[in-house]
Amino acid sequence: MAPSQQLSLFPFLFQETLLLALMEGSTERNCSLTPPYLPATVVNTTLRLQALRAAMIPREVLAYIIPAADAHLVGLAGPRDARIAFMTGFHTGSAGTVVVTAMKAVLWTDSRYWVQADRQMDCNWKLERDCRLGSPHQLSEYLNADLAPGNLLLTSIPDNLVDGLWTDRPPVPPLQPHPTWQMKVDAIRMEMMANPYKPTALLLSALDETAWLFNLRGNDIPHNPFFYSYTLLTMEEIWLFVHTERVPEDLQAYLNSSCVQSMCVQLREYDAVRLDLAAYVLLPGVKVWVGTEYTNYALYEVISAQDKLVTSSYSPVLTSKAVKDEMEQRILRNAHVRDAVAVIQLLMWLETAVPRGKETELSAAHYVNECRSKQKDSRGPSFETISASGPNAALAHYSPTNETDRKLTVDEMYLIDSGGQYLDGTTDITRTVHWGTPTAMQRVQVFPEHGNYFGVHEWPVGFGSNNVPFTEGMFTSIEPGYYKDDDFGIRIEDVAVTVPARTKYNDQTYLTFDTVSLVPYDRKLIDTTLLSEEQIRWLNRYYNTIRVHMGPELDRQGLRREKEWMLQNTEAFQTAGSSRALSSFTLSVAALTVALLQHVL
């Protein structure tokens, strides 16, 4: 800010001093002051920016782009790839893009993280409140078109400039084998042969693709069992690009890595993927199939020649692993039963602990994580627990820290979004509760149903335009929410599996969702006058399902008090005699909208 602008805003020194005094303890920065006001949560990034800009000069780089995703386009990057957090101090967001020039440093992120960014960045950084970016090759084509009139070019740099100045960058941990993988390789090769464009190779860039294909697990990414890798699969060979020093002899034997036949996994250095891929593309008659949603531009540009490239949004590995067979569905449901025990323990404990006035967002998060850790085959949380009360719950992806931790009270809404990793499945569930008397606005209806050890949201399953069509056996989460700034947030999230629907029509197969999560909703926040009889019957059927599955499990674990709590909170709702006959899906969406807007307008 220029000196004249500073004087026009704060013409007298004592006004600045007064404002600084008033801001003392504020959690957000104010860069308009001289000196700027910075909360204790920010990181001084001056030296890091100086070092990055110095590295840009000899390479003639005018602007350097740092994405939030890693080279495999994992949104929640592991500590080793948290480059935006290292450069900016903004460490709690999973979306964003940074651009650094000689004079400016800018972070783009979406509305979920604006408050966190202002709490964590110093005044070297400008926050742009937007994050509408496409896949890497779409972004590169867009930027190249914008840069062309100025004779500027977007290009990749083989050596990451941030890594060169990150002296304490975290290392990579060891890998863990799971059962056999050869049948999966055979199935994917069959899909390659069925592709009408006749690819000779398939490039796997998403981390869960290689983990699934070879039944390997790691822990490079927080809360996810993945490891840094690429795979190039041909009909004759398998190349696994990995940090080879982390592959012990027993794992080499598991992968048949000592041979070069079609079912031998040849280990290649992780950093050699670009050069080896370029060498393969030079061979006559080859075509490489890539899933564009998870292929970074540095690899895409190597094979971008029209006669060498076969594309689809997602690779056949992602679409294959998204469909669970009967055994996989059964064991995933079992994981949700055990996980529900931990959530029931948390909610029951909070009912008695919160009125005493000593519990906080952090203590609640620690408690549910501890409950999960005691369940069979637990491997830790599936993501950082979102434990949010009052206005913090209005931040969709808030997680408490020592600086932002709030005490839980009977006067505020509380939102807990958490999940667990188990050897037989991954869970994710959200419940919103109120221990006092919620306001009329805070009471909303629940959503009825119509609406394995991997990532918590298993792409490409979902409701977006870029997701694949639903088929039987796909698991996804359904999570409607409403957030009122600086007041409260409501979100209900359940995992559901697509199953065949019974209808009177026989012309084609119809699907519906069967809810897998097994924790009751807070009765205080359900206004049954907004529900049709059909919806109340659905809710009662769901509560009966909870009783059927959770009663025996709580008995088996000897949790008598928890079973009593579960039975009390799954008592049937009485129908109100409503004559409304809207479909369950229509009413589930409409009733939430009406319930909220009638109190807002």
Side-chain angles (χ1 to χ4, degrees):
M1 179 174 288
S4 60
Q5 292 175 304
Q6 294 171 4
L7 290 174
S8 66
L9 288 173
F10 306 106
F12 300 105
L13 180 60
F14 79 87
Q15 288 179 312
E16 288 190 354
T17 304
L18 176 60
L19 188 56
L20 278 170
L22 291 173
M23 292 192 66
E24 190 68 34
S26 173
T27 60
E28 297 181 25
R29 63 180 182 167
N30 188 331
C31 298
S32 64
L33 299 177
T34 306
Y37 171 76
L38 299 175
T41 50
V42 305
V43 174
N44 188 331
T45 64
T46 300
L47 295 179
R48 297 173 187 179
L49 275 172
Q50 289 176 353
L52 178 59
R53 286 167 171 150
M56 292 164 57
I57 293 173
R59 294 171 173 83
E60 299 182 342
V61 174
L62 299 181
Y64 191 66
I65 302 173
I66 308 172
D70 58 23
H72 306 272
L73 308 186
V74 175
L76 182 60
R80 181 177 173 81
D81 287 308
R83 297 179 180 90
I84 286 184
F86 172 75
M87 287 302 305
T88 69
F90 171 54
H91 61 270
T92 58
S94 62
T97 302
V98 158
V99 176
V100 176
T101 68
M103 301 300 295
K104 293 183 178 180
V106 184
L107 166 71
W108 280 264
T109 192
D110 61 48
S111 58
R112 295 174 296 169
Y113 303 117
W114 292 343
V115 173
Q116 289 100 311
D118 269 330
R119 288 175 176 176
Q120 295 166 3
M121 294 195 304
D122 65 11
C123 291
N124 285 313
W125 294 89
K126 180 181 179 182
L127 173 62
E128 289 287 351
R129 288 169 158 74
D130 195 8
C131 193
R132 291 172 293 183
L133 301 175
S135 62
H137 70 282
Q138 292 170 332
L139 174 61
S140 63
E141 291 169 359
Y142 169 79
L143 290 177
N144 272 324
D146 279 0
L147 294 172
N151 293 321
L152 299 174
L153 177 67
L154 178 71
T155 186
S156 60
I157 299 176
D159 299 323
N160 194 292
L161 300 187
V162 175
D163 296 352
L165 56 97
W166 193 355
T167 57
D168 58 347
R169 188 181 178 206
V172 291
L175 306 181
Q176 306 166 13
H178 280 237
T180 58
W181 49 269
Q182 287 85 348
M183 290 180 62
K184 292 181 179 180
V185 169
D186 278 337
I188 298 303
R189 281 175 169 157
M190 291 290 290
E191 295 205 39
M192 292 170 62
M193 288 189 288
N195 189 309
Y197 297 100
K198 303 304 178 185
T200 60
L202 173 66
L203 176 66
L204 304 179
S205 293
L207 297 183
D208 52 345
E209 293 177 314
T210 292
W212 178 87
L213 185 63
F214 299 117
N215 290 326
L216 292 173
R217 300 295 184 267
N219 57 355
D220 295 359
I221 308 300
H223 313 302
N224 289 275
F226 305 142
F227 58 98
Y228 297 115
S229 57
Y230 298 94
T231 296
L232 188 71
L233 176 65
T234 74
M235 295 300 173
E236 300 80 22
E237 294 183 288
I238 308 170
W239 297 353
L240 173 57
F241 297 90
V242 68
H243 297 90
T244 56
E245 70 276 6
R246 69 194 302 194
V247 186
E249 289 186 3
D250 60 335
L251 195 54
Q252 293 178 33
Y254 166 81
L255 294 170
N256 299 332
S257 62
S258 60
C259 55
V260 292
Q261 281 78 37
S262 63
M263 279 298 177
C264 302
V265 180
Q266 301 175 43
L267 301 180
R268 302 201 170 200
E269 286 298 333
Y270 175 80
D271 293 329
V273 60
R274 182 181 162 97
L275 289 177
D276 287 3
L277 180 62
Y280 178 81
V281 171
L282 291 177
L283 297 175
V286 303
K287 289 184 178 181
V288 181
W289 185 1
V290 302
T292 55
E293 290 290 330
Y294 284 96
T295 303
N296 65 55
Y297 185 66
L299 298 182
Y300 181 84
E301 67 179 356
V302 170
I303 49 177
S304 57
Q306 200 67 28
D307 62 334
K308 298 287 187 179
L309 183 65
V310 177
T311 65
S312 59
S313 295
Y314 304 102
S315 80
V317 168
L318 279 181
T319 54
S320 295
K321 78 178 185 63
V323 180
K324 312 301 182 188
D325 61 29
E326 289 186 8
M327 183 183 71
E328 290 173 317
Q329 291 183 41
R330 184 173 65 254
I331 63 175
L332 273 168
R333 288 177 182 273
N334 290 340
H336 279 272
V337 170
R338 300 196 307 278
D339 190 76
V341 173
V343 181
I344 287 173
Q345 288 177 310
L346 168 74
L347 297 178
M348 186 187 76
W349 172 71
L350 288 175
E351 277 189 4
T352 57
V354 169
R356 301 188 192 119
K358 294 183 179 180
E359 303 307 327
T360 69
E361 295 168 332
L362 276 176
S363 67
H366 294 327
Y367 191 91
V368 73
N369 290 342
E370 178 66 20
C371 290
R372 280 195 172 96
S373 71
K374 297 177 181 178
Q375 291 300 313
K376 178 185 175 184
D377 294 332
S378 173
R379 290 300 182 268
S382 56
F383 56 95
E384 187 174 5
T385 298
I386 298 171
S387 174
S389 68
N392 284 344
L395 305 173
H397 286 75
Y398 162 88
S399 289
T401 65
N402 290 330
E403 293 78 18
T404 62
D405 190 24
R406 285 175 59 86
K407 182 178 290 187
L408 305 184
T409 76
V410 296
D411 301 318
E412 291 184 330
M413 298 278 280
Y414 174 68
L415 185 155
I416 178 76
D417 185 348
S418 65
Q421 288 282 16
Y422 304 89
L423 288 181
D424 49 353
T426 302
T427 68
D428 181 9
I429 185 170
T430 305
R431 292 294 182 261
T432 304
V433 298
H434 197 298
W435 299 290
T437 304
T439 66
M441 184 179 182
Q442 292 172 334
R443 299 180 69 217
V444 299
Q445 64 113 26
V446 299
F447 267 44
E449 64 183 327
H450 296 294
N452 305 347
Y453 185 24
F454 268 100
V456 62
H457 294 294
E458 189 166 358
W459 212 252
V461 182
F463 296 93
S465 59
N466 59 337
N467 295 121
V468 296
F470 281 108
T471 61
E472 182 182 350
M474 287 182 171
F475 283 71
T476 190
S477 66
I478 302 174
E479 45 184 312
Y482 172 79
Y483 311 96
K484 185 180 179 184
D485 289 346
D486 299 319
D487 192 353
F488 66 90
I490 299 173
R491 184 163 67 250
I492 296 171
E493 179 181 17
D494 290 304
V495 171
V497 59
T498 50
V499 296
R502 295 180 180 177
T503 73
K504 61 183 179 180
Y505 307 103
N506 297 317
D507 56 328
Q508 58 181 305
T509 300
Y510 292 87
L511 298 172
T512 188
F513 292 111
D514 184 22
T515 303
V516 177
S517 303
L518 294 169
V519 177
Y521 311 115
D522 186 355
R523 301 177 78 89
K524 290 182 179 179
L525 298 178
I526 300 175
D527 187 349
T528 55
T529 64
L530 298 174
L531 303 180
S532 68
E533 288 192 32
E534 179 186 354
Q535 290 176 307
I536 294 176
R537 285 195 297 270
W538 177 90
L539 185 57
N540 288 338
R541 288 196 303 270
Y542 173 56
Y543 276 11
N544 185 64
T545 299
I546 294 176
R547 290 183 167 209
V548 168
H549 290 281
M550 296 309 302
E553 181 65 21
L554 293 168
D555 284 339
R556 188 185 68 78
Q557 297 191 27
L559 300 174
R560 181 180 56 81
R561 292 178 57 248
E562 285 80 354
K563 182 179 179 181
E564 292 174 357
W565 184 94
M566 181 273 294
L567 292 174
Q568 179 183 349
N569 284 272
T570 54
E571 291 179 356
F573 287 90
Q574 299 300 312
T575 59
S578 172
S579 61
R580 286 172 289 182
L582 289 175
S583 72
S584 183
F585 176 79
T586 302
L587 198 55
S588 69
V589 176
L592 176 62
T593 305
V594 171
L596 296 174
L597 291 183
Q598 68 183 358
H599 296 290
V600 176
L601 300 179

